[in-house]
Amino acid sequence: MSIDLASTGTLTIAGKTVHRLGFGAMSLTGPGVWGPPRDHDEALRVLRRVVELGVDLIDTADSYGPYVSEEIIREALHPYPEGLLIATKAGFVRTGPGEWHAVGRPAYLRQEVEMSLRRLGVERLDLLQLHRVDPEVPLEDQVGELQALQDEGKIAAIGLSEVSVEQLEQARRVAEIVSVQNRYNLTNRASEGVLEHCGREGIAFIPYSPIGKGSLAGPGSPVEHVAKDLGATPAQVSLAWLLAHSPVTMPIPGTSSVAHLEENLAASTVSLTPEQMDELGSL
């Protein structure tokens, strides 16, 4: 199956117009999103193939590894191609494999932004997303520090991750928010209201875990019969549904394999009928 990212449409973030099918770089780390990948050379090949195939949005975070994902991105791609948008995140502390703790103290966020600039080898981050809202720190203080960093020229655009509509609007009273990254896929639509709100407000919605950590791609997938009818894979169908469901969605499937990367990006050529959209939407 061919790849045609132009068919996915585009969104503009921080002055860069990017295709609506990106790449999530969390998988370029070890088990539990901790430590280096099992195959460092393959991780480099994946990132270089991402760019070769025309993907122009790569999503990462300081906590992936921690730090490993950002470092591999720089090793593979720096100096970065013109037009490539690298989105990173701050606000999660890692204490071990699979362990995540929200920390939104302004001084910590500032430190992590400074370190991401250094690791990625850039003077300004294209998009910095608050990885989680720290319930112990006023949201206005967390977003306010990102706004200060934006004013200083260290961040081009600000986004949020795992927020409600109320939190999004609270943040927008402090700074312009250009993206929201929440867990969302065919079988987990708890953030439907947030997606609809982003659609009305023209805010990019980046659904992470777009194929349910593989649950929508494996044997017995609830989309398997639709995939068979289309001559596609369940993962491709799941991604195609996300792209068709809303014009502001920007799925970021991740992988540590070049073959799997190419398979995911071929979702760009999968067309679902209105009947298939309705059927999948009723899952």
Side-chain angles (χ1 to χ4, degrees):
M1 188 172 289
S2 60
I3 295 169
D4 180 17
L5 293 181
S7 68
T8 66
T10 60
L11 291 172
T12 300
I13 298 174
K16 294 185 177 182
T17 300
V18 295
H19 296 110
R20 290 178 51 225
L21 191 56
F23 175 74
M26 186 176 75
S27 298
L28 303 180
T29 61
V33 198
W34 187 263
R38 290 189 178 95
D39 189 336
H40 183 86
D41 289 344
E42 179 72 356
L44 297 178
R45 284 191 289 269
V46 166
L47 285 164
R48 290 167 182 158
R49 188 62 175 148
V50 162
V51 172
E52 288 174 358
L53 292 171
V55 173
D56 39 28
L57 171 72
I58 296 176
D59 178 86
T60 185
D62 63 352
S63 55
Y64 296 166
Y67 315 138
V68 170
S69 179
E70 290 181 332
E71 291 168 348
I72 290 177
I73 289 170
R74 179 176 184 173
E75 181 182 353
L77 301 176
H78 193 277
Y80 303 112
E82 185 176 353
L84 178 66
L85 188 154
I86 299 176
T88 192
K89 296 181 284 292
F92 250 164
V93 168
R94 306 298 306 286
T95 53
E99 296 181 13
W100 308 77
H101 310 280
V103 176
R105 295 190 302 274
Y108 176 74
L109 295 176
R110 175 171 289 272
Q111 168 190 297
E112 291 308 292
V113 165
E114 295 283 4
M115 294 300 291
S116 287
L117 288 167
R118 186 181 305 176
R119 281 189 294 270
L120 289 168
V122 296
E123 295 182 356
R124 183 175 69 169
L125 301 174
D126 294 326
L127 173 61
L128 190 285
Q129 300 175 100
L130 181 64
H131 208 159
R132 287 295 184 274
V133 175
D134 184 344
E136 303 300 321
V137 179
L139 180 56
E140 292 85 353
D141 291 352
Q142 298 174 65
V143 177
E145 188 65 21
L146 301 184
Q147 175 69 69
L149 287 157
Q150 185 179 48
D151 291 342
E152 294 166 23
K154 295 176 179 178
I155 294 172
I158 300 169
L160 304 171
S161 181
E162 278 303 323
V163 292
S164 64
V165 171
E166 181 182 7
Q167 289 170 320
L168 170 56
E169 287 306 300
Q170 187 179 353
R172 292 179 75 199
R173 290 192 285 271
V174 179
E176 180 183 4
I177 303 299
V178 304
S179 68
V180 170
Q181 185 171 150
N182 281 16
R183 184 189 300 274
Y184 185 87
N185 55 54
L186 260 171
T187 54
N188 184 340
R189 285 179 243 168
S191 288
E192 188 72 45
V194 180
L195 170 56
E196 292 174 356
H197 187 74
C198 287
R200 290 190 295 269
E201 298 298 317
I203 297 169
F205 184 88
I206 305 174
Y208 76 85
S209 193
I211 53 177
K213 293 187 176 180
S215 64
L216 290 166
S221 165
V223 306
E224 199 166 31
H225 63 292
V226 174
K228 185 176 180 181
D229 290 343
L230 291 169
T233 68
Q236 290 165 350
V237 169
S238 301
L239 293 168
W241 182 87
L242 285 170
L243 289 166
H245 183 55
S246 168
V248 299
T249 56
M250 188 180 292
I252 49 166
T255 180
S256 57
S257 155
V258 170
H260 192 204
L261 167 71
E262 294 174 350
E263 177 187 313
N264 284 340
L265 295 182
S268 60
T269 62
V270 174
S271 296
L272 300 171
T273 66
E275 293 76 19
Q276 288 168 332
M277 286 294 296
D278 289 344
E279 180 183 354
L280 293 169
S282 65
L283 288 177

